[in-house]
C-alpha cells in the first residue's frame, strides 16, 4: 500500500518522501484500544503481535507483511486492517517491521522475513500458520515462501507487487486509471530494493521465481490498480491453487480502506478461506467480482 508518494515523482522526490520519523510504522492508539498489542524485538527489529481482546484465539495465526513500496513503514491503514481481521476472525497476527529500502536490500529484507517465518513455523506448525501481505508486502510474502520452501496453511495476497520492473505491456494502459502509481515510479522503487540486482531477479521479482507447488492462496485486486497486471499473471500461472477476486473500478489495495463495504466483504472472504469454507463470492470459478 502506497501512502507517502504520488505519481510522477522523480527519484529525488521519491527519496524525500521516504524520510521517516522515529515513531513511524508503529500501531496507533486506536488499534491499541481495539485489540491487545504486544511488542518484542527480533533480530534487532520491532515485531508486533495482535490478538483479540478478552478471548482466546482459536482460528490460527497470520504472519502479515505490510506494503509501502519496500521503502515505507506500515501506515495507519495497515494497522486498522490487521486489527479488524484480528477482532472479527479471532486470529492472532504477527506484523514485523522489516528492513526497508533504500538503506537495505532485498537480500537483507528476505533474510529477515525468512527468519521470522521459520520461527513461527516452529511455534505454530505449517497447518496453523497463514501468511499474507499487501502490495510490496504481498511480494515479500511470496519471496519468503520461495526462500524457505515450506508452505503456509493459506496465503493471502492483496494487490501483490510481484514484478519490480513493471514489465507487463498492459500496465501502460492501466496506469492511466491508477492515481497512486505509474511504471516509472515502480521501477525506481524496485531499483532501490534490488540494490544492484536485475529487476527480473526472482529475489527482487518473485513472479519470475519458482511458483511450482504454490500455496493455496486468496488473491485480491481492483481493476484501477497498475499491479492488477501482476495479479492476473500469477492467477494465470497457477490457477488451480488460487482463488482470484478482481473487483471492477477499485483502487490499489482497497481492502485496507476498512470502512467501505468492499473491504468488509474481503474480510469475510478471508475468514471463509481460512476456515476452508466455500464462499458464495466465488462460485463461478477462480475469478470472481463483487456485484457493486
Amino acid at each position: 500500500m502506497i501512502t507517502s508518494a504520488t505519481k510522477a515523482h522523480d527519484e529525488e522526490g521519491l527519496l524525500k518522501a521516504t524520510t521517516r520519523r522515529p515513531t513511524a510504522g508503529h500501531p496507533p492508539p486506536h488499534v491499541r484500544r481495539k485489540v491487545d498489542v504486544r511488542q518484542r524485538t527480533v533480530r534487532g527489529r520491532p515485531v508486533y503481535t495482535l490478538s483479540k481482546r478478552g478471548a482466546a484465539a482459536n482460528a490460527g495465526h497470520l504472519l502479515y507483511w505490510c506494503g509501502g513500496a519496500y521503502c515505507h513503514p506500515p501506515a495507519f491503514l495497515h494497522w486498522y486492517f490487521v486489527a479488524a481481521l484480528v477482532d472479527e476472525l479471532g486470529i492472532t497476527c504477527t506484523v514485523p517491521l522489516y528492513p526497508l529500502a533504500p538503506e537495505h536490500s532485498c537480500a537483507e529484507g528476505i533474510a529477515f522475513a525468512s527468519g521470522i517465518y521459520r520461527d513461527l513455523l516452529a511455534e505454530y506448525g505449517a497447518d496453523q500458520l497463514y501468511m499474507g501481505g499487501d502490495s510490496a508486502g504481498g511480494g515479500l510474502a511470496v519471496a519468503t515462501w520461495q526462500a524457505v520452501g515450506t508452505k503456509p496453511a493459506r496465503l493471502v495476497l492483496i494487490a501483490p507487487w510481484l514484478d519490480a520492473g513493471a514489465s507487463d505491456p498492459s500496465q501502460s494502459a492501466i496506469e492511466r486509471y491508477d492515481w497512486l502509481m505509474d511504471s516509472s515510479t515502480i521501477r525506481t522503487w524496485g531499483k532501490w530494493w534490488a540494490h544492484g540486482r536485475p529487476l527480473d531477479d526472482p529475489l527482487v521479482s518473485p513472479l519470475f521465481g519458482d511458483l511450482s507447488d504454490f500455496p493455496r492462496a486468496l488473491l485480491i485486486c481492483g481493476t484501477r490498480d497498475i499491479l492488477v497486471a501482476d495479479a492476473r499473471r500469477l492467477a494465470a500461472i497457477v490457477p488451480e491453487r488460487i482463488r482470484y477476486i478482481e473487483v471492477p473500478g477499485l483502487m490499489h489495495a482497497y481492502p485496507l480502506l476498512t470502512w467501505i463495504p468492499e473491504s468488509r466483504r474481503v474480510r469475510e472472504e478471508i475468514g471463509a478461506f481460512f476456515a476452508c469454507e466455500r464462499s458464495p463470492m466465488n462460485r463461478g470459478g477462480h475469478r470472481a467480482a463483487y456485484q457493486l
Side-chain angles (χ1 to χ4, degrees), residues 30-116:
H30 170 80
V31 168
R32 294 179 181 275
R33 291 192 294 268
K34 186 179 182 68
V35 297
D36 288 330
V37 179
R38 178 171 60 90
Q39 179 183 354
R40 66 190 190 280
T41 300
V42 180
R43 297 172 177 85
R45 304 196 63 84
V47 174
Y48 290 94
T49 300
L50 285 64
S51 56
K52 187 174 178 68
R53 180 154 292 161
N58 57 6
H61 191 93
L62 170 65
L63 171 59
Y64 192 84
W65 304 104
C66 297
Y70 293 121
C71 59
H72 297 284
F76 74 94
L77 292 176
H78 294 107
W79 292 113
Y80 285 10
F81 176 70
V82 171
L85 289 178
V86 168
D87 185 57
E88 294 169 11
L89 306 185
I91 60 173
T92 55
C93 184
T94 290
V95 182
L97 272 56
Y98 55 90
L100 297 174
E103 299 91 342
H104 300 280
S105 69
C106 60
E108 294 173 274
I110 293 170
F112 172 80
S114 297
I116 296 288

Side-chain angles (χ1 to χ4, degrees), residues 84-261:
L85 289 178
V86 168
D87 185 57
E88 294 169 11
L89 306 185
I91 60 173
T92 55
C93 184
T94 290
V95 182
L97 272 56
Y98 55 90
L100 297 174
E103 299 91 342
H104 300 280
S105 69
C106 60
E108 294 173 274
I110 293 170
F112 172 80
S114 297
I116 296 288
Y117 183 44
R118 288 189 180 97
D119 290 347
L120 293 177
L121 283 170
E123 182 175 355
Y124 293 98
D127 60 340
Q128 290 295 312
L129 180 62
Y130 314 123
M131 185 159 58
D134 64 275
S135 195
L140 184 57
V142 176
T144 298
W145 159 68
Q146 289 172 333
V148 175
T150 303
K151 293 188 293 187
R154 296 287 187 275
L155 185 62
V156 174
L157 303 173
I158 297 171
W161 183 20
L162 303 171
D163 175 5
S167 66
D168 191 274
S170 71
Q171 288 177 292
S172 60
I174 298 169
E175 69 183 8
R176 291 181 295 170
Y177 305 101
D178 187 329
W179 61 274
L180 281 171
M181 298 180 290
D182 60 25
S183 299
S184 176
T185 297
I186 287 173
R187 293 187 193 105
T188 298
W189 286 325
K191 180 181 73 173
W192 295 350
W193 184 239
H195 262 241
R197 294 175 181 267
L199 293 186
D200 61 356
D201 185 311
L203 209 63
V204 185
S205 299
L207 186 68
F208 306 123
D210 184 3
L211 299 174
S212 62
D213 199 29
F214 199 78
R216 290 191 62 186
L218 176 63
L219 174 60
I220 301 161
C221 206
T223 59
R224 296 198 171 211
D225 182 349
I226 193 171
L227 296 185
V228 74
D230 292 16
R232 289 168 178 170
R233 283 184 284 174
L234 178 63
I237 293 169
V238 284
E240 71 283 356
R241 305 296 297 171
I242 290 178
R243 180 181 299 167
Y244 181 33
I245 299 170
E246 183 178 299
V247 186
L250 288 188
M251 60 175 286
H252 177 62
Y254 74 88
L256 272 61
L257 307 178
T258 52
W259 56 89
I260 66 174

